[in-house]
Amino acid sequence: MKLLKKFFKVTQIITLISILIGLIFTKQVSLQTLQPLADEYRTAWDFELLDLDDKKFQLSKYRGNIIVLNFWETWCPDCIKEMPSLNRLVGNFKKEKKVLFWAISHEDKLTLQEYLSKNKFNYHHFYNGQKVRRDYNVQFVPIHIIIDQKGKIRYSFPADDQVYAKLSQGIKKILKELKEN
């Protein structure tokens, strides 16, 4: 029993150290519901990734669009659970040509292709996104980030049962602002 208590204490210490190292060496993105990140929105960190057709995409080249990022993995139960809602979201905004849905995984191309050949997920997919994940301080998946047309991070939040409503509300709010300006 004493050995077991010592093991759990060591495990807790290692976990705490890992979290502290992560906080010190990564850029920060606040996880919030649909509240703005600050009075001044943070500029999204630029990145370049390959899609499943090996076409290069650079975030900054898509300024003028609303980018909805989804950080996910094929082995993640919560990621899989929210896919029908995310597919519905893509369908509901398909007429909005300025709204782009991008899914970023740290997994390799073959793993994603195999998974997506059996499972429907209507986002545009990018693989080997470890660096982007680190830059955006994504500690767990799924995480959703909405970047506005000016390249500012407007919303960032983890998955929950209201993911469709939250994403839809955030996108509609930004679209409304665009139409008013």
Side-chain angles (χ1 to χ4, degrees):
M1 191 66 166
K2 214 174 194 183
L3 186 59
L4 189 58
K5 284 183 180 181
K6 196 172 195 176
F7 172 77
F8 283 121
K9 187 168 187 139
V10 169
T11 303
Q12 289 174 331
I13 291 170
I14 290 171
T15 302
L16 182 60
I17 290 171
S18 298
I19 291 169
L20 290 173
I21 289 171
L23 291 173
I24 292 169
F25 292 106
T26 57
K27 299 173 187 172
Q28 297 296 310
V29 174
S30 298
L31 291 178
Q32 299 184 11
T33 57
L34 284 176
Q35 299 303 314
L37 291 173
D39 291 337
E40 297 247 348
Y41 300 110
R42 286 184 161 162
T43 300
W45 294 280
D46 198 17
F47 61 83
E48 183 175 279
L49 286 173
L50 294 174
D51 71 2
L52 295 179
D53 294 323
D54 289 323
K55 181 180 173 190
K56 284 185 183 178
F57 281 74
Q58 185 172 356
L59 179 65
S60 59
K61 291 186 178 177
Y62 289 87
R63 289 261 165 90
N65 295 288
I66 298 167
I67 309 289
V68 181
L69 297 180
N70 172 240
F71 289 90
W72 78 294
E73 307 301 339
T74 60
W75 49 262
C76 165
D78 287 336
C79 300
I80 294 164
K81 178 182 172 189
E82 70 180 10
M83 278 182 196
S85 293
L86 299 178
N87 288 337
R88 185 169 51 119
L89 186 75
V90 172
N92 287 344
F93 285 96
K94 68 181 171 191
K95 291 182 181 176
E96 297 288 348
K97 300 299 180 200
K98 293 286 187 180
V99 180
L100 306 176
F101 296 90
W102 292 3
I104 300 173
S105 173
H106 83 276
E107 294 173 288
D108 63 75
K109 180 179 176 179
L110 182 60
T111 300
L112 286 178
Q113 287 174 322
E114 286 177 3
Y115 181 85
L116 293 169
S117 71
K118 299 172 190 151
N119 301 280
K120 184 178 179 181
F121 188 13
N122 294 335
Y123 275 46
H124 195 104
H125 292 274
F126 300 90
Y127 63 96
N128 290 340
Q130 298 93 322
K131 182 180 181 323
V132 177
R133 190 170 164 169
R134 276 192 309 274
D135 287 347
Y136 281 79
N137 195 30
V138 174
Q139 303 292 322
F140 55 88
V141 291
I143 294 292
H144 303 275
I145 297 174
I146 302 175
I147 301 170
D148 71 14
Q149 73 284 358
K150 296 176 184 173
K152 303 291 185 181
I153 298 172
R154 294 290 293 271
Y155 307 107
S156 178
F157 55 91
D160 64 23
D161 292 336
Q162 300 298 316
V163 69
Y164 174 87
K166 287 180 179 180
L167 287 170
S168 184
Q169 180 184 351
I171 295 166
K172 286 177 182 175
K173 184 174 181 184
I174 296 169
L175 285 170
K176 181 180 177 190
E177 291 169 9
L178 279 172
K179 290 174 182 159
E180 290 173 353
N181 292 329

